[in-house]
Amino acid sequence: DTGVSQDPRHKITKRGQNVTFRCDPISEHNRLYWYRQTLGQGPEFLTYFQNEAQLEKSRLLSDRFSAERPKGSFSTLEIQRTEQGDSAMYLCASSHDWAGYGYTFGSGTRLTVV
Amino acid sequence: DAKTTQPPSMDCAEGRAANLPCNHSTISGNEYVYWYRQIHSQGPQYIIHGLKNNETNEMASLIITEDRKSSTLILPHATLRDTAVYYCIVRVATVNNQGGKLIFGQGTELSVKP
């Protein structure tokens, strides 16, 4: 297992376009998290899944954002009608369902909206 | 919101010990202290965690005060590769046997200088 994989690493899009990011967690991890990080700030929680169930969504996750985790494996995060304020690093992490120390993060997808 | 307070930046000479403080004066009895670090352009990486006893692993030591209101992460012999942002996080170990999300603050940017 090579850890948490995120694709693409970088994405440049025009304002108003839709984008989708993919995260492949560590295979035995039940929980999957999405975070957003802007320059100079710590990661901000967006949402998490326990298997295929989305258990919590942050208020940061506006109606333009949607996340899925079909079959409890990989996850996708879609942003519709992108805005310049969506420019950020989008991080995915996975963990066992009980371990607070066992988070493994991917290297993130850096989104630039022009 | 993050429940911890950390200095925004610190410098350390290569080969010396780096001592990173964290204040968590409102910590509850069932909350652990976790430390993660984030090297530039990578996702956060777990370092160490503890409840009330001091902890040591191959990466670092964690000293928690007796009243648990503050802690110090110690990197015993800092190297240039330890330059990163260090996050101190408090969180319950499990919530109904389900691990809750990690809430990051702004962390401490540690610069290790030759």
Side-chain angles (χ1 to χ4, degrees):
Chain A
D1 197 338
T2 58
V4 176
S5 299
Q6 291 190 246
D7 183 70
R9 288 296 309 274
H10 303 274
K11 178 71 176 179
I12 300 174
T13 190
K14 292 184 178 179
R15 189 175 52 185
Q17 297 294 305
N18 299 343
V19 295
T20 300
F21 311 139
R22 177 179 171 124
C23 172
D24 287 275
I26 291 175
S27 57
E28 62 265 29
H29 285 179
N30 295 328
R31 298 169 69 81
L32 185 146
Y33 309 82
W34 284 100
Y35 285 80
R36 180 175 69 185
Q37 186 173 27
T38 53
L39 195 63
Q41 303 296 314
E44 297 174 294
F45 169 77
L46 292 178
T47 188
Y48 79 78
F49 293 83
Q50 168 83 11
N51 298 314
E52 67 274 11
Q54 190 173 18
L55 295 185
E56 186 175 348
K57 294 194 296 184
S58 164
R59 290 171 296 174
L60 294 174
L61 213 65
S62 75
D63 292 344
R64 297 184 298 105
F65 288 70
S66 63
E68 294 182 341
R69 193 184 181 196
K71 303 179 183 178
S73 56
F74 71 93
S75 176
T76 59
L77 177 68
E78 181 183 17
I79 308 174
Q80 296 182 326
R81 305 180 304 280
T82 52
E83 302 172 356
Q84 286 189 321
D86 297 331
S87 295
M89 175 75 81
Y90 290 84
L91 293 162
C92 176
S94 68
S95 74
H96 279 295
D97 57 5
W98 50 266
Y101 56 83
Y103 281 54
T104 301
F105 281 82
S107 294
T109 294
R110 179 164 296 283
L111 173 67
T112 302
V113 181
V114 298
Chain B
D1 291 340
K3 301 179 182 180
T4 62
T5 304
Q6 299 177 252
S9 64
M10 292 182 63
D11 290 340
C12 178
E14 188 178 19
R16 304 296 295 270
N19 297 280
L20 292 92
C22 179
N23 180 286
H24 33 80
S25 57
T26 62
I27 192 169
S28 300
N30 62 347
E31 289 183 316
Y32 283 67
V33 180
Y34 298 87
W35 283 83
Y36 279 73
R37 75 178 182 183
Q38 187 173 25
I39 296 170
H40 183 63
S41 296
Q42 297 182 22
Q45 173 194 25
Y46 166 77
I47 302 173
I48 198 167
H49 76 287
L51 182 62
K52 51 185 176 182
N53 297 323
N54 298 337
E55 303 288 340
T56 296
N57 64 19
E58 66 278 5
M59 291 183 67
S61 295
L62 175 60
I63 308 298
I64 302 174
T65 58
E66 191 170 345
D67 63 8
R68 303 210 321 123
K69 292 185 177 182
S70 65
S71 61
T72 301
L73 177 75
I74 301 173
L75 308 177
H77 306 287
T79 71
L80 299 179
R81 289 191 301 270
D82 292 321
T83 293
V85 178
Y86 288 76
Y87 297 100
C88 170
I89 302 164
V90 296
R91 204 213 72 177
V92 295
T94 62
V95 179
N96 298 326
N97 292 323
Q98 304 289 330
K101 57 186 181 288
L102 294 177
I103 303 297
F104 290 81
Q106 292 190 323
T108 295
E109 186 169 10
L110 175 68
S111 296
V112 181
K113 300 182 184 300

